[in-house]
């Protein structure tokens, strides 16, 4: 069943999942009290990306499609399991980051980098994460290519890029931009799903 595919990902990545959770919680506890929640959010995105990237890497190495296409599951159910695992990872990170953002607003000074609310940074970071997962999953099922590592590297360089462009960033524009990114990520999920499903219907076990 579809739950079995999710269980397979958990079993194969359980050590990595535990390590990711430990590292992320530690980084959140380290950065949030200093008013740089956005850094913890970026780390969270990177951690959330690592798990589905590793899952797809293992699937490719083991010729996963030869096995899974022989199961008594529809292509939609198989694809749903992959999407559920990826967005479950992001959902957990989003929840922890959201709690951290609320705590920062309520009990700390309520501002982050550039004097912007952590809630705005949370919205923008989650929007970016959604867009990255949307693209990564669609490309994987359309071209059978795992570009997750490339996107992971891009996320890792975001803080460095921000240092050079911070003078060009207008804090007042970050709020609408963050909302646009989140809405684009949610819309991209639907588009990604439709494109991936159409492509996956044409897969064979060869």
């Amino acid at each position: 069943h579809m739950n079995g595919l999710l269980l397979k990902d958990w079993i194969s990545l359980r050590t990595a999942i535990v390590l990711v959770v430990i590292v992320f919680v530690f980084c959140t506890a380290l950065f949030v009290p200093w008013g740089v929640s956005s850094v913890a959010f970026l780390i969270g995105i990177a951690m959330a990306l690592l798990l589905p990237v590793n899952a797809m890497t293992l699937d490719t190495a083991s010729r996963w499609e030869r096995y899974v296409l022989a199961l008594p599951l529809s292509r939609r159910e198989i694809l749903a399991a992959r999407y559920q695992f990826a967005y479950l990872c992001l959902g957990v990170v989003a929840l922890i980051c959201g709690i951290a953002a609320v705590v920062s607003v309520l009990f700390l000074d309520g501002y982050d980098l550039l004097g912007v609310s952590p809630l705005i940074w949370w919205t923008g970071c989650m929007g970016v994460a959604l867009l990255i997962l949307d693209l990564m999953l669609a490309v994987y099922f359309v071209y059978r290519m795992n570009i997750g590592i490339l996107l992971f590297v891009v996320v890792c360089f975001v803080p460095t890029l921000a240092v050079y462009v911070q003078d060009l960033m207008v804090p007042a524009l970050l709020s609408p931009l963050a909302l646009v990114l989140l809405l684009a990520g949610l819309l991209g999920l639907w588009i990604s799903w439709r494109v991936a499903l159409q492509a996956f219907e044409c897969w064979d076990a060869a």
Side-chain angles (χ1 to χ4, degrees), residues 6-142:
L6 292 173
L7 182 61
K8 181 268 296 182
D9 288 333
W10 161 254
I11 292 175
S12 60
L13 294 172
R14 60 184 181 275
T15 301
I17 290 174
V18 172
L19 289 176
V20 162
V21 170
I22 292 174
V23 171
F24 176 53
V25 170
F26 172 78
C27 290
T28 301
L30 179 66
F31 289 111
V32 170
W34 289 95
V36 284
S37 304
S38 53
V39 176
F41 301 163
L42 287 173
I43 293 174
I45 291 176
M47 296 294 100
L49 278 177
L50 269 181
L51 296 176
V53 166
N54 286 340
M56 289 189 291
T57 300
L58 292 174
D59 287 344
T60 301
S62 62
R63 297 303 301 272
W64 162 79
E65 69 274 10
R66 287 188 174 184
Y67 166 73
V68 76
L69 292 179
L71 294 175
L73 294 170
S74 68
R75 302 290 177 109
R76 181 182 294 270
E77 289 175 320
I78 295 169
L79 188 67
R82 171 58 66 227
Y83 270 72
Q84 282 181 15
F85 178 75
Y87 288 95
L88 179 62
C89 293
L90 178 58
V92 172
V93 167
L95 178 60
I96 297 175
C97 288
I99 293 173
V102 171
V103 169
S104 180
V105 169
L106 294 179
F107 300 105
L108 302 176
D109 58 11
Y111 293 96
D112 206 289
L113 297 179
L114 300 178
V116 176
S117 169
L119 291 174
I120 295 177
W121 283 113
W122 177 87
T123 303
C125 287
M126 293 310 113
V128 170
L130 280 169
L131 288 170
I132 289 175
L133 278 183
D134 298 340
L135 177 62
M136 181 178 72
L137 290 166
V139 169
Y140 179 77
F141 284 99
V142 172

